[in-house]
Amino acid sequence: MTRMLAGAIGDGVFKVVLGAAFLVGGARFGDLLGAPTWLLALSGAALLIGGGIEAAYVRRRPMATCLRLMIAYDIGWVLASAGALVLAWQGSTAGGELWTAYLTAAPLVLAALLVGAAATPAPTPVRPSAPDTLAP
């Protein structure tokens, strides 16, 4: 297993663990983030599903595809986090909701794109070329 593959699987596993934490501790996280418990529960379920699909499909898809999708996901996470911080600095309580909403939608989009991506083709056996019988 390469480091990139291990990292990609770890990314999916992290989402699963975070999703479980949101489901188990939704009320506590909701208080910390200023988001309703139902949104944390929904986000937890989305993270469990998305992370599980990501961990399962990363072996079946070209690593370049997985990396592009994970980079796009992480850029979105940074932008959502920055937006949430700006809202929090302005005294709004919508920052936690924005961040949690991103964590609800983005893993499902990532999972759908991974499932829809072309599978890595199975290696074809190399056959020796047939002797040239037409040559004199």
Side-chain angles (χ1 to χ4, degrees), residues 52-74:
I53 289 172
E54 181 180 350
Y57 272 78
V58 73
R59 290 180 179 265
R60 302 179 198 161
R61 301 297 180 251
M63 187 51 66
T65 300
C66 294
L67 287 175
R68 280 193 301 271
L69 291 173
M70 287 189 298
I71 289 168
Y73 177 95
D74 289 342

Side-chain angles (χ1 to χ4, degrees), residues 8-29:
I9 292 171
D11 191 69
V13 170
F14 178 80
K15 286 180 182 79
V16 168
V17 170
L18 183 61
F22 277 14
L23 284 172
V24 171
R28 177 75 178 125
F29 283 119

Side-chain angles (χ1 to χ4, degrees), residues 27-35:
R28 177 75 178 125
F29 283 119
D31 291 342
L32 290 171
L33 295 170

Side-chain angles (χ1 to χ4, degrees), residues 19 22-23 25-27 29-30 33 35-45 96 100 104:
F22 277 14
L23 284 172
F29 283 119
L33 295 170
T37 303
W38 67 265
L39 183 56
L40 270 290
L42 187 63
S43 182
T100 307
T104 303

Side-chain angles (χ1 to χ4, degrees), residues 8 34 45 69 83 87 94 97-98 127 129 136:
L69 291 173
L87 288 170
E97 292 174 351
L98 170 67
R127 294 186 220 166
S129 59

